[in-house]
Amino acid sequence: MNKKEIIQKVIENNGGIAKTSDFADEGINKYEVAAFCKQGLIERIRRGFYQLPLSNDTTEEQLIHELLPQGIICMESALFHYGYSDFSPREWSIAVPRTASRVVKNIEEFPMKAYYIQKNLLIIGKSTDIFNGVTLPVYDRERTICDCFKYRTRLDNEIFNKAVNAYAADEKKNLANLSKYAKEMKLYTKVMNVMEVLLNG
């Protein structure tokens, strides 16, 4: 295989986006990568990340997976994912550690709304699910509902009301986890007051 074929194979094997280190593992150094970029054989998405030219089939989900591996899908995006909202968000809601602000500022490849979360709260309710064929970290149903209370002022009233009602009616809900997360996030009274009304109504 010549270097051009190796480059294409590396990109394909990495789901359409390859890092400089992926090429290095196959014996192609950064100067050769830069030369291939100049020739138009590959395109730089951002520093250290490359795709094949006219690779419009790279989805936002793949970009999130590659560019923001520490991000967790949350809030409006998670509500839509679980069917708790009919409103398809125009931008991705992603929870990130507070230390990731510089990374977030450099991302222009997909529209996103970052929620900066303190370290001890970041992993509460973290799970994974499949978005458009790509496995991404996402907060589970209970953490998503707790977040609705935590960021109540950022949410449209209609979205909030629909979300808590849809959760109350969801057979997959886990009230033990809801209560546990709400305590850990210091939202217990707020969450339980609303939930008790909905569940006993």
Side-chain angles (χ1 to χ4, degrees):
M1 248 190 322
N2 65 30
K3 292 210 161 163
K4 185 179 170 184
E5 289 166 345
I6 292 170
I7 282 244
Q8 286 181 314
K9 183 168 171 274
V10 169
I11 291 177
E12 281 161 14
N13 289 349
N14 284 284
I17 303 170
K19 300 193 279 280
T20 314
S21 57
D22 299 326
F23 296 125
D25 292 343
E26 297 296 328
I28 293 169
N29 66 41
K30 61 182 179 181
Y31 303 108
E32 291 172 307
V33 171
F36 281 126
C37 260
K38 276 206 176 103
Q39 292 167 35
L41 292 170
I42 54 176
E43 270 178 5
R44 188 180 136 177
I45 305 174
R46 60 177 280 215
R47 190 173 169 192
F49 288 87
Y50 301 87
Q51 66 180 8
L52 295 171
L54 301 175
S55 178
N56 292 335
D57 53 355
T58 302
T59 62
E60 288 181 353
E61 289 83 357
Q62 285 171 306
L63 287 167
I64 292 168
H65 179 70
E66 290 293 337
L67 304 182
L68 203 60
Q70 72 273 56
I72 304 166
I73 307 297
C74 68
M75 290 298 286
E76 293 92 339
S77 298
L79 289 173
F80 184 70
H81 179 66
Y82 291 125
Y84 293 170
S85 167
D86 305 326
F87 174 72
S88 173
R90 284 188 299 278
E91 54 189 2
W92 288 90
S93 296
I94 302 180
V96 289
R98 288 183 173 168
T99 49
S101 59
R102 184 179 294 166
V103 179
V104 169
K105 283 190 177 76
N106 289 338
I107 292 177
E108 296 165 2
E109 288 72 29
F110 54 91
M112 97 180 239
K113 179 160 129 193
Y115 286 82
Y116 294 100
I117 313 289
Q118 60 203 65
K119 200 175 171 186
N120 62 325
L121 298 179
L122 191 66
I123 56 162
I124 295 172
K126 179 183 173 182
S127 64
T128 57
D129 213 336
I130 293 168
F131 290 76
N132 194 15
V134 180
T135 301
L136 293 173
V138 59
Y139 282 136
D140 64 14
R141 292 166 164 76
E142 286 66 38
R143 170 62 192 258
T144 300
I145 291 301
C146 285
D147 276 345
C148 285
F149 284 89
K150 185 176 170 66
Y151 299 108
R152 180 77 178 83
T153 53
R154 290 206 216 174
L155 269 185
D156 180 83
N157 262 341
E158 195 182 327
I159 291 176
F160 176 86
N161 291 332
K162 178 156 178 32
V164 292
N165 279 291
Y167 175 77
D170 189 349
E171 287 173 6
K172 291 182 179 171
K173 66 180 174 290
N174 181 328
L175 295 172
N177 276 353
L178 184 72
S179 146
K180 178 169 165 269
Y181 300 167
K183 279 179 187 155
E184 287 173 28
M185 294 170 72
K186 300 186 172 43
L187 296 164
Y188 187 76
T189 311
K190 275 184 188 173
V191 173
M192 289 304 151
N193 284 349
V194 171
M195 279 302 154
E196 277 169 10
V197 172
L198 292 176
L199 294 167
N200 301 325

